[in-house]
Amino acid sequence: MKIGYPCVNEAMDCSAANTFRLASYADERLVAAVTANLACLRRMLAWNVAQGLLFFRMGSGIVPFGSHPINTFPWQTHFAADFQVIGDYIKANNLRVSFHPDQFVVLNSPSVDIVQRSIQELIYQGSMLDLMGLDGTAKLQIHVGGLYGDRELALSRFAAVHATLPAAVKARVVVENDDRLFPLRDCLRLHAETGVPILFDNFHHECLNHGEPMAEALRLAAATWHPTADGVPMMDYSSQALGERKGKHADDLVDDQFRRFLQEFHGLDMDLMLEIKNKEASALRAVTILRELGLSVPAPNIPSPPLSLPPDPNAPPKVRRAKKAVSSE
């Protein structure tokens, strides 16, 4: 069982999401941003390995405008060696990585344009995993999409578009149950029709379900993963923020609650991505709990890389990604 956190190390002095405005696009800006992003990603992975955090969701913005028509720079060949070095490090240290494309990736949209842009974004993000030399156990995590007033049609559109995905992308795509529109039951239907594995989200299941107990839900989702082609099932873990609207993620890991949740596994192995606001801080506590329970490997006996380095006057400033808008569909 591996523990991870998504995209950003809050304590580190660099970002792997440096970008710039579309209106100021230039190849030189792109090269500078990607160079900085890959360097920071490599530092984050090294820090994670030293802490025993062996699951990491990489940010979608490593290559600014990676799927946009304006980006015609051959970044795949220019940065091929850099991606390969990162991939070699991931494999050498038994890391698990993934991407979670942004909410504009909606395969079941009635809009042909949105669907095509969604596919191009999946191709872009999958190509980074390909450049790293990673197999199909490195995943692209998406939601079913919008309801658009007709659940049956929305599900059938997803299945139809999924069938058209390039084989390299289809091998990586997993679908997540959400907290408002498409619960586990709908995702199981899609798996039966398309073979897409289900990345289970415990918090979303608590918000929206058909009465499946948590232990049963975990097993139903895990059974959709092929043990070699897909690897150990991935899942997202979080909990309700106290005093906030239903569905708002907690700011911090609640240790006792996490311990109780681990009892639901009954020997089942899954890699856990903590969707908790303070990211690496909670992940460190979670992996300590796993070690106490004998569910994770001991801490490695290697030096921990520094969170901060002497300032580089040529480095772009650290970027904080804007909060995602909540869809009204």
Side-chain angles (χ1 to χ4, degrees):
M1 186 175 289
K2 298 175 180 177
I3 291 289
Y5 64 95
C7 305
V8 177
N9 185 312
E10 298 285 356
M12 193 165 278
D13 65 349
C14 69
S15 169
N18 292 288
T19 189
F20 47 87
R21 295 176 62 243
L22 181 63
S24 61
Y25 180 91
D27 287 350
E28 295 79 9
R29 287 179 179 268
L30 179 77
V31 170
V34 177
T35 299
N37 291 341
L38 291 176
C40 185
L41 175 61
R42 180 66 176 79
R43 285 182 59 203
M44 282 194 285
L45 293 176
W47 189 88
N48 290 349
V49 167
Q51 314 306 318
L53 300 175
L54 300 181
F55 188 19
F56 188 65
R57 180 190 297 164
M58 299 181 292
S60 302
I62 292 172
V63 180
F65 311 107
S67 65
H68 196 285
I70 198 172
N71 184 355
T72 59
F73 182 77
W75 59 267
Q76 294 93 336
T77 53
H78 186 89
F79 291 103
D82 302 271
F83 277 103
Q84 186 63 57
V85 166
I86 291 174
D88 289 345
Y89 183 82
I90 289 169
K91 289 182 284 188
N93 289 278
N94 196 28
L95 281 161
R96 188 86 180 272
V97 297
S98 65
F99 283 111
H100 192 340
D102 290 336
Q103 288 183 334
F104 72 80
V105 173
V106 184
L107 293 187
N108 76 344
S109 172
S111 166
V112 174
D113 180 59
I114 290 175
V115 169
Q116 288 305 310
R117 284 191 281 122
S118 299
I119 293 173
Q120 289 305 309
E121 182 68 12
L122 291 175
I123 291 172
Y124 148 61
Q125 295 192 30
S127 71
M128 289 191 283
L129 298 171
D130 294 339
L131 286 169
M132 292 177 189
L134 303 178
D135 62 20
T137 63
K139 294 300 187 183
L140 302 171
Q141 172 182 349
I142 62 174
H143 294 276
V144 178
L147 197 59
Y148 306 108
D150 190 327
R151 182 176 303 274
E152 295 301 318
L153 184 56
L155 291 169
S156 65
R157 267 201 306 265
F158 181 99
V161 173
H162 182 271
T164 71
L165 294 175
V169 172
K170 191 184 296 184
R172 298 194 186 279
V173 167
V174 296
V175 66
E176 175 189 352
N177 59 302
D178 66 61
D179 60 338
R180 297 186 306 112
L181 301 177
F182 295 100
L184 176 63
R185 181 184 291 182
D186 288 331
C187 295
L188 287 167
R189 287 180 56 190
L190 285 177
H191 168 72
E193 185 169 351
T194 68
V196 62
I198 299 169
L199 189 148
F200 182 70
D201 187 306
N202 76 296
F203 184 37
H204 290 172
H205 184 69
E206 290 170 4
C207 295
L208 182 66
N209 60 71
H210 286 90
E212 306 94 340
M214 186 62 68
E216 177 187 351
L218 286 165
R219 277 159 178 71
L220 287 170
T224 66
W225 291 64
H226 189 280
T228 53
D230 299 317
V232 173
M234 298 175 175
M235 70 159 287
D236 287 349
Y237 174 83
S238 187
S239 59
Q240 174 66 44
L242 295 178
E244 299 287 348
R245 62 165 176 82
K246 181 182 178 182
K248 183 173 175 58
H249 291 259
D251 293 333
D252 194 16
L253 183 74
V254 182
D255 293 15
D256 290 343
Q257 189 175 22
F258 182 64
R259 288 176 182 274
R260 288 194 299 272
F261 177 73
L262 292 174
Q263 296 174 7
E264 302 284 0
F265 283 84
H266 302 290
L268 185 68
D269 189 16
M270 298 181 98
D271 291 338
L272 276 61
M273 178 61 57
L274 269 57
E275 290 196 323
I276 296 175
K277 298 297 184 182
N278 63 358
K279 296 183 182 291
E280 78 285 346
S282 281
L284 289 172
R285 297 215 312 279
V287 79
T288 297
I289 291 171
L290 287 190
R291 287 177 182 142
E292 291 172 358
L293 299 175
L295 297 175
S296 183
V297 296
N301 186 25
I302 59 176
S304 178
L307 290 167
S308 299
L309 295 176
D312 179 355
N314 299 315
K318 185 171 181 178
V319 173
R320 297 288 184 180
R321 293 175 68 87
K323 293 183 178 179
K324 294 179 181 179
V326 177
S327 172
S328 61
E329 293 171 327

